[in-house]
Amino acid sequence: MTDKTQAAPRARRALPRPLRSRALPVWWPVAAGVLAGGLLGGAYGVATPPEYTATAYVVAVPTEESDPAAALGFAQAYGRVATQLAVLGDAQVWAGIPVRTLQEHVRAETSPDAPMVSVTATAARPAQAADMANAVARALTRHAEDARAATHVGLRQFARAVKPAEPSSAPAALTGLVGACAGGLLGALALLVRPRRAPREEGPAAAVPGPAVAADAQGRL
């Protein structure tokens, strides 16, 4: 009887366990997110046409009848009107580009410390970006010159926009890297919020012979 009770646990241990090599590893959402994000980001970078950026600068110059400190305030004002229809209407003649396109792809910025206005344009071609920035800067200078008798402040060209040598948009390698990072982050979040598996129940414990069986075995010996 003792041999039978010892053979039962051995038989249970001899049963084949399920193969775990076929199951996916725990971190598979992270790997899948990195791969999918890298592919999507790279495809976006390849499909998106490059953009070029050019910037022109104009500076506010006070006349003899004006306070030099007033130039800074008028530079801020001219920076706000640089993208208005009154200025872009003249700029479209010199640039040969519709006003709507200029409104979407031209921006003006000012400095709080210097009486300077920067006009930045973006376009699909380097020459077009430079032409757009120079046209808006020229139109802004002309409007400031027309109001010079009343404001006693004029605008002068400080630096013309030149054709950019390289695109300002992100290359496909960078967009692919950003997509891979974003995909990996989403995969890690999915790994954290996924439901936990319930602990696997173990099989019944091996039977232990009772006191009566043990005494019977000792009597036979």
Side-chain angles (χ1 to χ4, degrees):
M1 184 177 295
T2 304
D3 296 340
K4 293 181 180 180
T5 56
Q6 292 178 355
R10 294 177 182 176
R12 291 191 186 95
R13 289 195 296 267
L15 292 176
R17 294 182 179 181
L19 297 177
R20 295 182 180 180
S21 59
R22 297 180 181 178
L24 293 175
V26 179
W27 45 266
W28 73 266
V30 179
V34 171
L35 181 60
L39 293 176
L40 292 177
Y44 174 80
V46 173
T48 304
E51 288 187 349
Y52 295 86
T53 302
T55 304
Y57 297 91
V58 294
V59 61
V61 179
T63 62
E64 297 179 355
E65 301 175 359
S66 176
D67 184 5
L72 182 59
F74 277 101
Q76 301 287 335
Y78 284 129
R80 296 186 184 94
V81 302
T83 55
Q84 300 298 321
L85 292 178
V87 178
L88 298 182
D90 293 339
Q92 70 171 345
V93 179
W94 295 317
I97 297 174
V99 174
R100 189 180 189 88
T101 304
L102 294 175
Q103 287 178 327
E104 295 175 354
H105 298 281
V106 175
R107 68 179 186 274
E109 297 178 353
T110 58
S111 172
D113 303 324
M116 185 175 296
V117 181
S118 64
V119 180
T120 303
T122 57
R125 299 193 306 273
Q128 186 179 19
D131 292 341
M132 290 168 60
N134 289 325
V136 175
R138 180 181 177 183
L140 182 63
T141 303
R142 179 178 176 180
H143 277 264
E145 189 66 23
D146 294 339
R148 184 176 181 179
T151 62
H152 303 289
V153 174
L155 289 180
R156 294 291 183 268
Q157 184 178 11
F158 184 78
R160 287 180 55 85
V162 297
K163 293 190 300 183
E166 297 180 356
S168 58
S169 56
L174 181 58
T175 57
L177 179 60
V178 173
C181 294
L185 179 60
L186 293 177
L189 293 176
L191 186 62
L192 292 176
V193 301
R194 70 172 185 172
R196 301 292 181 179
R197 295 182 180 179
R200 186 174 57 184
E201 297 182 358
E202 299 181 356
V208 180
V213 178
D216 189 13
Q218 292 179 358
R220 292 182 180 180
L221 295 176

